[in-house]
Amino acid sequence: MMDRLLEAFDHGAAAIFQAVVLPLLQTLGAASVAAEAYNGTVWLLAGALQLVLIALGLGALERWRPVEHWADARAVRIDWVYTLIQRLGLFRLLLFFTLDPVVDAVAAQARLWGWQPWHLEGWVPGVTDRPCIAFALYLVVFDFLGYWIHRAQHAWGWWWALHAVHHSQRQMGRWADNRNHFLDDFLGAALFAGAGLVLGTEPAQFMALTLVTQTFESLQHANLRLHFGFLERFWVSPRFHRLHHAIGVGHESDGPGTLGGHNFGVLLPWWDQGFGTARFDSAYPATGIRDQLPEWGGRDYGAGLMAQQWLGLRRLWRALRM
């Protein structure tokens, strides 16, 4: 069944590329980047399918068991714009022109020096013959890296200045995962790309890891009253992650004015349990940042995309000057 779905996906991406993308490249005289454009087409199709899943599948779940009912959903619409930018490949296009050439140059220079990637699957006998096990191994390693990147976003004042854009959503729902400062996203992408280079992750495998992670992150952010029971100790649920966005819980470790927080795991809560940052409260608290509350200053994080990006840069500048 899975093989047929993957085959259908490959055929769909190839058809879109042949019918639309390649003729456009030829018209523009850019056929030399056909290989890169095909990869972009694959990302585009995968992102479009994700949007359908978020809109229909997660939308149905949110209507079934919502945590809260919103009188005014205007604040959620901007998250939809962020999601389109991320999932339809516009952010990938930025990385193609900025980050990818740097990674390729570093890889080429490293090969000249005789360095070879580690290739994790070669460390465990028999894994190379079992793609599913190799995928699971890479997923665990990248999730471990994601945990520490996420902790850094909350621990370092300059990075929190950017990451606060993500936490400023008071009406968290299925589109909120991609509500991020673009520089925050770029830094995370650079670290993961570097890890992929060091570990020798194949491009198709790296893409699969990204898509699986994105899909579950959308579920985690849904306005959904759902937990996994005892399985919540093994896989991050919407309730577990909502606590990470809770006012005074997710972004503070020692009370008002401090940095830190709880429940940093991306897909696996193991790291939170092992390093003492896990919270398994049964509540579904209000989300946001403490200083957004009127009684704590009513700080403005911006109502629109450009305002959120600009205010994030201003907070970063002030943090770096301190």
Side-chain angles (χ1 to χ4, degrees):
M1 178 64 176
M2 182 58 66
D3 289 341
R4 288 197 294 271
L5 289 175
L6 291 174
E7 184 178 355
F9 178 85
D10 290 338
H11 285 319
I16 294 172
F17 179 75
Q18 292 291 337
V20 179
V21 179
L22 185 57
L24 180 61
L25 291 176
Q26 291 170 340
T27 301
L28 297 174
S32 60
V33 296
E36 292 82 359
Y38 179 77
N39 291 335
T41 305
V42 173
W43 280 102
L44 175 65
L45 179 58
L49 293 174
Q50 283 184 320
L51 291 176
V52 172
L53 176 62
I54 296 170
L56 301 181
L58 296 187
L61 289 176
E62 286 189 336
R63 289 188 295 273
W64 171 51
R65 297 194 67 187
V67 174
E68 53 192 355
H69 295 278
W70 304 322
D72 184 0
R74 284 179 296 180
V76 179
R77 296 188 189 118
I78 193 63
D79 295 348
W80 184 73
V81 176
Y82 277 110
T83 306
L84 289 181
I85 291 172
Q86 280 281 1
R87 302 296 172 94
L88 291 183
L90 297 180
F91 187 73
R92 286 294 313 169
L93 187 62
L94 171 65
L95 297 181
F96 172 74
F97 286 109
T98 56
L99 184 59
D100 288 2
V102 175
V103 173
D104 291 342
V106 170
Q109 185 60 55
R111 286 193 295 269
L112 289 176
W113 290 338
W115 177 83
Q116 295 295 327
W118 292 351
H119 292 294
L120 273 182
E121 62 267 36
W123 293 8
V124 182
V127 168
T128 53
D129 300 327
R130 299 178 181 179
C132 290
I133 298 179
F135 178 83
L137 179 63
Y138 277 103
L139 186 145
V140 170
V141 171
F142 275 100
D143 197 76
F144 182 68
L145 173 63
Y147 170 82
W148 286 107
I149 290 175
H150 203 175
R151 284 197 66 170
Q153 289 170 319
H154 284 251
W156 299 345
W158 66 267
W159 207 343
W160 168 250
L162 299 173
H163 190 61
V165 171
H166 182 64
H167 280 260
S168 64
Q169 177 56 281
R170 301 293 310 280
Q171 298 176 182
M172 195 172 80
R174 65 190 187 276
W175 302 105
D177 174 42
N178 292 120
R179 179 194 180 107
N180 296 305
H181 198 282
F182 296 141
L183 183 54
D184 184 13
D185 273 340
F186 184 85
L187 292 171
L191 290 171
F192 278 110
L197 175 64
V198 171
L199 298 175
T201 313
E202 296 296 330
Q205 194 171 48
F206 189 83
M207 179 181 179
L209 288 166
T210 301
L211 294 176
V212 168
T213 301
Q214 287 179 338
T215 300
F216 278 101
E217 285 180 321
S218 294
L219 171 64
Q220 294 164 12
H221 288 84
N223 177 28
L224 178 61
R225 190 174 295 274
L226 178 67
H227 65 89
F228 299 154
F230 77 93
L231 293 178
E232 201 166 63
R233 304 275 175 171
F234 300 94
W235 198 262
V236 172
S237 72
R239 182 177 69 178
F240 183 88
H241 191 71
R242 186 178 180 89
L243 285 167
H244 174 70
H245 281 262
I247 298 173
V249 177
H251 59 276
E252 296 174 355
S253 290
D254 298 305
T258 65
L259 294 177
H262 299 85
N263 297 8
F264 300 105
V266 181
L267 297 179
L268 307 172
W270 312 344
W271 322 122
D272 285 295
Q273 296 172 79
F275 294 101
T277 55
R279 287 277 295 267
F280 289 97
D281 304 17
S282 59
Y284 293 85
T287 61
I289 305 172
R290 187 187 295 274
D291 63 12
Q292 289 177 288
L293 302 177
E295 60 269 30
W296 289 93
R299 189 172 193 172
D300 178 23
Y301 284 86
L305 186 148
M306 296 307 298
Q308 291 164 6
Q309 298 298 307
W310 171 243
L311 290 172
L313 290 176
R314 289 181 59 182
R315 290 192 302 273
L316 172 63
W317 175 248
R318 285 195 293 269
L320 291 174
R321 293 182 63 187
M322 293 179 60

